Amino acid sequence: MEKQESVGFIEVCLRLLNNDLKHFKLCLAIVLIPTIVAFVLVMWVIKPVYAATAVVTPPSSSQTSLSGLSSMLGGASGMGALLGLSNSDEDENAVWTIFNSWELHDQVIREFNLAEHYEFDGDFHADLLKEFRKNFAVEVNKEDMFAVSMEDEDFRLAAKIVAFMLEKADSAFNAFKTAQARQSRIYFQSRLDSCEMALDSLIKEFVKFQVDNNFYDPDVQLESTIKYLGALQAKREEVAIEMAFEKADRGEKSKRYDELTKRYQGVNSALHGALKGRHENMGMVALKKSPELAAEYMRRETEIRVQEAMYKLLRQQSEQMRMEEAKMLTNLHVLEPPWENDKKIYPLRGVTLVFVFSVACIIATIVSNLLGYLASESKRGSSVAMEWNAFKGFFKKNKG
């Protein structure tokens, strides 16, 4: 079985080769004519196309200083988004949009007179933009850098266009960031003004509360009040013990007992007065009022601290936006500038000629073997031969 398959394959190959040789002139014409035409086209007719490419870094995001507010308010995740500030991904998307915007493309078309360069004779400017965009591309390479490329028949013009687009894109991105910073700065300034007014109002009310209630520092005042009350209580007990000894020793009608009684009454009066807050002017606090005053004091103090934290953040952000608004530095740093690369990228002469030659050989083989098959069928007088003769006769009648 293996021997029969080998013989069959060789027989098929020999038949193909013999049919090609039998119609050698036809095969030669089918192969040479397209190959010569393709050679002439790629060598002299089709204009070569060149490419200029530049690699630039994406813009670095403006890091907002939110760590201060985060530490003061116990975390500020997502604060940048709430304040309308862009991050790195949004800046990259903005640059991508600028590179592909019709405004930038229209500037290039007008600057380099591409309508005349492309020999454009259409009626719509959109078609001219479409023609330009066929030759322009911006991609993100493996290193996450922007690769900006331009294809053109003039390699010098291609390099100039890429350099022009880099300059205009950086300028447009600067304008975008400046406008964004200006809007943020106006917002921060308005919030800063309202926060400052609120903070001043809270401080005035807090001072009034302290003055009206003689309540300035709860920790110190409560500590001193308790110490004072403790001292009075100890003094009263001391006098009470002396009175008890004096009563037992000399009785209640002694002069010493009268003095101790007066001292006891004085200490007791001072103790009750301190408990009721009669010494508020001296920094003492009435114990019954102290919980309510302390709670109100803490509430007001907390409000002031929150407003102070917000004021510091807004002040910091306002100054940062002022610097961002005034900044005119380069955002797109060119790592690989465009250069006049005179190595064409189209047409690929070798690949084109090999492809045309290969396809022509296949077509020539098919045509030659088809003619050989029809000739053998004509000798046999088969139905295929009859149909073939009828087909040829149809054209002969038309010629007649």
Side-chain angles (χ1 to χ4, degrees), residues 45-192:
V45 178
I46 300 177
K47 295 181 180 180
V49 177
Y50 306 90
T53 304
V55 178
V56 297
T57 61
S60 58
S61 62
S62 300
Q63 298 296 332
T64 57
S65 304
L66 297 176
S67 58
L69 183 67
S70 178
S71 61
M72 287 182 282
L73 298 181
S77 59
M79 184 63 71
L82 292 176
L83 296 177
L85 301 173
S86 61
N87 55 33
S88 179
D89 292 337
E90 291 176 352
D91 287 344
E92 291 182 15
N93 293 336
V95 173
W96 184 278
T97 303
I98 291 172
F99 271 122
N100 291 283
S101 64
W102 73 267
E103 292 92 345
L104 180 58
H105 297 176
D106 191 60
Q107 289 182 22
V108 175
I109 291 172
R110 287 187 280 103
E111 177 71 18
F112 296 96
N113 195 14
L114 294 184
E116 181 179 345
H117 178 70
Y118 290 153
E119 298 179 356
F120 179 75
D121 55 357
D123 298 328
F124 302 101
H125 189 68
D127 294 333
L128 181 57
L129 285 171
K130 186 177 181 180
E131 183 70 21
F132 169 79
R133 287 167 177 168
K134 289 180 181 178
N135 303 318
F136 170 74
V138 55
E139 300 174 348
V140 178
N141 59 19
K142 296 180 180 179
E143 291 76 22
D144 294 330
M145 303 294 177
F146 285 123
V148 184
S149 60
M150 182 68 193
E151 298 178 1
D152 199 86
E153 297 173 359
D154 186 348
F155 61 90
R156 295 184 180 88
L157 180 62
K160 291 179 181 178
I161 289 176
V162 173
F164 177 82
M165 294 188 73
L166 292 179
E167 179 184 355
K168 293 301 180 181
D170 184 73
S171 177
F173 182 74
N174 259 331
F176 162 73
K177 294 297 291 183
T178 299
Q180 188 183 46
R182 184 181 299 110
Q183 292 176 353
S184 300
R185 193 256 306 162
I186 294 173
Y187 166 76
F188 284 129
Q189 189 61 46
S190 63
R191 290 289 296 116
L192 185 63

Side-chain angles (χ1 to χ4, degrees), residues 12-32 359-377 388:
V12 170
C13 292
L14 289 175
R15 282 187 179 183
L16 293 175
L17 182 60
N18 288 333
N19 285 325
D20 288 344
L21 294 175
K22 187 183 297 184
H23 303 87
F24 179 74
K25 293 182 179 180
L26 178 61
C27 290
L28 190 64
I30 294 175
V31 172
L32 287 182
V359 173
C361 289
I362 294 173
I363 294 174
T365 301
I366 293 174
V367 171
S368 298
N369 284 273
L370 180 62
L371 293 177
Y373 170 75
L374 293 175
S376 62
E377 290 296 318
W388 173 245

